[in-house]
């Protein structure tokens, strides 16, 4: 198949590119190694080929905006960038057969919950989650108008070699010895292997639909940190009792979001947040490895 992949130089994009190496992959990005060099936030790409599948993995994530300009950057990249990509595809020799969008469970806007499914309202108000909602709407409407099969994959924390974001922060914290589990690290979070996500894309592209993808187990912080510590030849992280964490969080409230711990962050860390991927298992034949067994940090 002839594929177009955006965000090929990113964490997940690299793994997708490797996983689908048997196909003819064209890439779109800001770097000189891209087949089509274009900053989607600023311009409309010009395509001279037709693609069987477009995989839109490019986007802005893994940062907390501190200024209005940084907030706007999420919309420039995730919304305007998507709009420009779709316009570029309209000007290609022919439209693609399928469009796969790499979205996020952040669209639900939840800080706590168990087995959240795809029918849950999209309530995100933060720049990242809201920009992903807007991008999903743009893609869904465009695919409907143009008779293109639309697939949206909503991912939780994604594991793989040298991961970014919260998983990167946990690895660095355990490596340097300043990571602690709080209240026993009992809170469970959904997570998925990047390699498994990559492998399901050709199937999902044929079927279409909106899907949560997880490893089906949803490990606790204690379990995940123990696996990482073992790979780093470190002792399992120590536990910070709940009462002490609350005291530190109370002090952190005075500092605000820049504090290592405040009441809002403490609530997130100590609350379950898991997602249901039954739909993907039933309709796509989604099978996933347990992250605790298959995750390698490098």
């Amino acid at each position: 198949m002839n594929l177009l992949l955006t965000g090929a130089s990113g964490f997940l994009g690299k793994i997708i590119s490797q996983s689908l190496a048997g196909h003819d992959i064209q890439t779109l990005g800001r770097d000189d190694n891209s087949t089509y060099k274009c900053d989607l936030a600023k311009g409309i790409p010009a395509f001279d080929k037709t693609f069987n599948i477009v995989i839109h993995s490019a986007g802005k994530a893994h940062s907390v905006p501190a200024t209005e300009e940084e907030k706007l950057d999420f919309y420039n990249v995730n919304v305007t960038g998507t709009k420009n990509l779709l316009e570029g595809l309209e000007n290609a020799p022919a439209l693609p057969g399928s469009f796969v969008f790499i979205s996020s469970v952040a669209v639900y806007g939840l800080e706590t919950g168990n087995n959240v499914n795809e029918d849950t309202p999209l309530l995100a108000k933060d720049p990242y989650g809201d920009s992903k909602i807007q991008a999903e709407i743009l893609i869904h409407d465009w695919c409907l108008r143009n008779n293109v099969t639309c697939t949206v994959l909503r991912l939780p924390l994604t594991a793989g070699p040298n991961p970014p974001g919260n998983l990167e922060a946990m690895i660095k914290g355990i490596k340097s010895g300043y990571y602690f589990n709080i209240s026993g690290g009992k809170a469970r979070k959904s997570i998925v292997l990047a390699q498994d996500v990559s492998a399901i894309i050709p199937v999902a592209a044929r079927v279409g639909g909106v899907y949560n993808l997880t490893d089906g187990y949803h490990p606790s912080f204690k379990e995940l940190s123990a696996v990482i510590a073992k790979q780093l030849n470190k002792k399992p992280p120590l536990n910070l009792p709940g009462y002490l964490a609350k005291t530190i969080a109370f002090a952190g409230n005075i500092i605000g979001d820049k504090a290592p711990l405040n009441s809002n962050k403490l609530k997130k860390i100590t609350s379950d947040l898991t997602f249901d991927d039954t739909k993907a298992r039933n309709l796509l034949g989604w099978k996933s490895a347990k992250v605790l067994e298959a995750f390698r940090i490098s």
Side-chain angles (χ1 to χ4, degrees):
M1 290 186 294
N2 192 16
L3 312 180
L4 175 67
L5 173 63
T6 73
S9 61
F11 162 68
L12 181 58
K14 288 178 180 177
I15 295 174
I16 292 174
S17 185
Q18 293 167 1
S19 176
L20 303 180
H23 301 285
D24 182 10
I25 301 177
Q26 314 293 310
T27 59
L28 186 154
R30 293 176 292 182
D31 60 280
D32 293 331
N33 294 324
S34 299
T35 311
Y36 299 98
K37 184 178 180 180
C38 178
D39 183 346
L40 286 174
K42 298 178 180 179
I44 299 169
F47 299 116
D48 56 0
K49 291 186 178 181
T50 300
F51 310 103
N52 300 109
I53 302 173
V54 174
I55 306 166
H56 187 24
S57 177
K60 180 175 175 61
H62 310 304
S63 66
V64 178
T67 65
E68 289 302 315
E69 184 178 355
E70 290 178 357
K71 290 179 182 179
L72 183 60
D73 202 29
F74 278 95
Y75 294 93
N76 289 336
V77 174
N78 296 341
V79 183
T80 301
T82 296
K83 189 180 300 183
N84 287 339
L85 172 61
L86 296 175
E87 187 167 341
L89 291 171
E90 287 183 351
N91 298 327
L95 292 171
S98 300
F99 192 107
V100 178
F101 179 49
I102 305 298
S103 189
S104 167
V105 294
V107 295
Y108 299 113
L110 299 175
E111 294 184 358
T112 181
N114 284 290
N115 295 318
V116 177
N117 66 28
E118 295 87 349
D119 294 327
T120 303
L122 308 186
L123 302 175
K125 301 299 181 185
D126 65 290
Y128 174 60
D130 183 50
S131 66
K132 283 291 191 180
I133 293 174
Q134 293 191 37
E136 282 194 16
I137 293 171
L138 281 172
I139 292 164
H140 177 269
D141 291 347
W142 183 86
C143 287
L144 194 61
R145 287 197 311 271
N146 292 289
N147 197 30
V148 174
T149 302
C150 178
T151 304
V152 176
L153 303 179
R154 293 177 181 159
L155 308 186
L157 191 66
T158 305
N162 304 307
N166 292 333
L167 202 49
E168 177 186 31
M170 177 184 280
I171 293 169
K172 287 182 177 179
I174 293 172
K175 186 180 294 186
S176 56
Y178 61 74
Y179 177 85
F180 294 85
N181 283 314
I182 297 176
S183 298
K186 299 175 183 177
R188 308 186 81 86
K189 305 289 183 179
S190 287
I191 189 168
V192 69
L193 283 169
Q195 185 63 39
D196 286 345
V197 173
S198 303
I200 200 64
I201 286 176
V203 177
R206 291 195 300 270
V207 177
V210 179
Y211 305 95
N212 295 335
L213 298 181
T214 81
D215 80 338
Y217 178 72
H218 321 292
S220 67
F221 280 117
K222 182 179 180 180
E223 291 173 317
L224 185 58
S225 62
V227 165
I228 293 172
K230 184 176 181 180
Q231 291 189 46
L232 294 172
N233 293 316
K234 299 285 186 178
K235 293 181 179 179
L238 298 175
N239 178 59
L240 186 66
Y243 73 89
L244 184 55
K246 288 180 180 178
T247 301
I248 296 172
F250 182 76
N253 291 340
I254 301 172
I255 301 173
D257 289 337
K258 292 184 179 181
L261 189 65
N262 55 38
S263 294
N264 185 45
K265 292 179 180 179
L266 180 61
K267 181 181 178 181
K268 290 181 181 180
I269 292 171
T270 55
S271 299
D272 288 349
L273 183 55
T274 63
F275 298 88
D276 180 17
D277 64 3
T278 301
K279 182 179 177 183
R281 294 182 186 276
N282 290 340
L283 298 184
L284 303 180
W286 165 251
K287 295 179 181 179
S288 56
K290 290 183 179 179
V291 169
L292 295 180
E293 299 172 358
F295 176 39
R296 299 294 178 268
I297 62 177
S298 61

